[in-house]
Amino acid sequence: MNTKPRPQQPNVSAATAQRLQDAMKRLRARLRAESGQNATGLTLTQLGILVSVIREGPVTAARLAALEHVSAQAITQSLTVLKAAGLVHSEPDPLDGRKKLVSADASATELIDRITAGRGSFLARAIDQVVAPDEQEVLEKAVELLERLAEADLRGGGI
C-alpha cells in the first residue's frame, strides 16, 4: 500500500492561463476597434453605465453605483460626460423630489445597438474566415468552457 501523498498537479499550467488571459485581452481590444467603440470617445465604464441606464429605465445614480459596483462619485463623473454627449438626461423622481431619475436618450440605444452589431458582425466574419468547418464543433466547446469559466464560483473551495 502506497502511503506517500501524491503531489498536487495543477490541471492547467500558469502558462496556459496566461495565454488565455492574453488572447481574451487582444480579442476585447479588437472588438472595441472593429465595433467603432473606440471612436465614441467614451470609456468602457461610461459605456457600461450607459447600458445599465438603457436596461434599467429611469434609474437613480445610487442604483447605478450598486449595479456597476463603483462609487457614487464615479457614477456622477460618468453621468456628467454622458449628459454632455446628449446620451442621458435626468429629471426629478415623481415619488421623491430629492432624487433624480436618469434616462437614456434614443441616440444612446442606437449607439449601443451599433456597437453590439459591430462586435457581432466582426466575430461572425472572423469565424467564417478563420475557423474551418471541421473546427466549428471545437469552437462550440470552447465557448461552453469560457461560459463555465465566467460563471465559476471559487469562493467555496471548488466548482
Side-chain angles (χ1 to χ4, degrees):
M1 178 170 164
N2 186 358
T3 58
K4 253 192 199 178
R6 286 188 325 164
Q8 291 291 334
Q9 296 284 333
N11 292 335
V12 177
S13 71
T16 300
Q18 186 63 51
R19 283 182 59 215
L20 176 59
Q21 183 176 337
D22 291 345
M24 290 188 312
K25 181 179 175 181
R26 288 192 321 270
L27 182 57
R28 280 192 312 266
R30 184 72 186 268
L31 289 171
R32 285 192 301 269
E34 294 290 336
S35 69
Q37 179 178 328
N38 291 341
T40 67
L42 299 173
T43 66
L44 289 175
T45 300
Q46 291 162 348
L47 287 167
I49 291 168
L50 186 58
V51 168
S52 290
V53 171
I54 292 167
R55 187 180 319 117
E56 295 292 315
V59 61
T60 65
R63 174 78 176 133
L64 286 171
L67 288 169
E68 296 297 319
H69 305 285
V70 297
S71 69
Q73 181 181 2
I75 290 293
T76 300
Q77 290 171 347
S78 290
L79 287 176
T80 299
V81 172
L82 295 173
K83 285 178 187 177
L87 296 168
V88 299
H89 57 276
S90 62
E91 54 201 26
D93 183 336
L95 302 176
D96 184 348
R98 298 170 296 171
K99 297 179 183 178
K100 297 270 187 189
L101 293 176
V102 180
S103 299
D105 187 80
S107 64
T109 303
E110 292 168 11
L111 173 65
I112 296 302
D113 288 349
R114 195 168 55 246
I115 290 171
T116 303
R119 288 176 185 166
S121 174
F122 166 75
L123 276 176
R125 290 189 329 269
I127 290 168
D128 286 346
Q129 289 181 12
V130 174
V131 180
D134 62 326
E135 293 176 314
Q136 292 289 334
E137 190 174 321
V138 174
L139 179 60
E140 287 291 330
K141 289 188 183 298
V143 170
E144 289 173 17
L145 288 171
L146 289 170
E147 289 170 342
R148 287 188 4 225
L149 286 172
E151 294 174 9
D153 182 358
L154 303 181
R155 291 173 290 175
I159 300 175

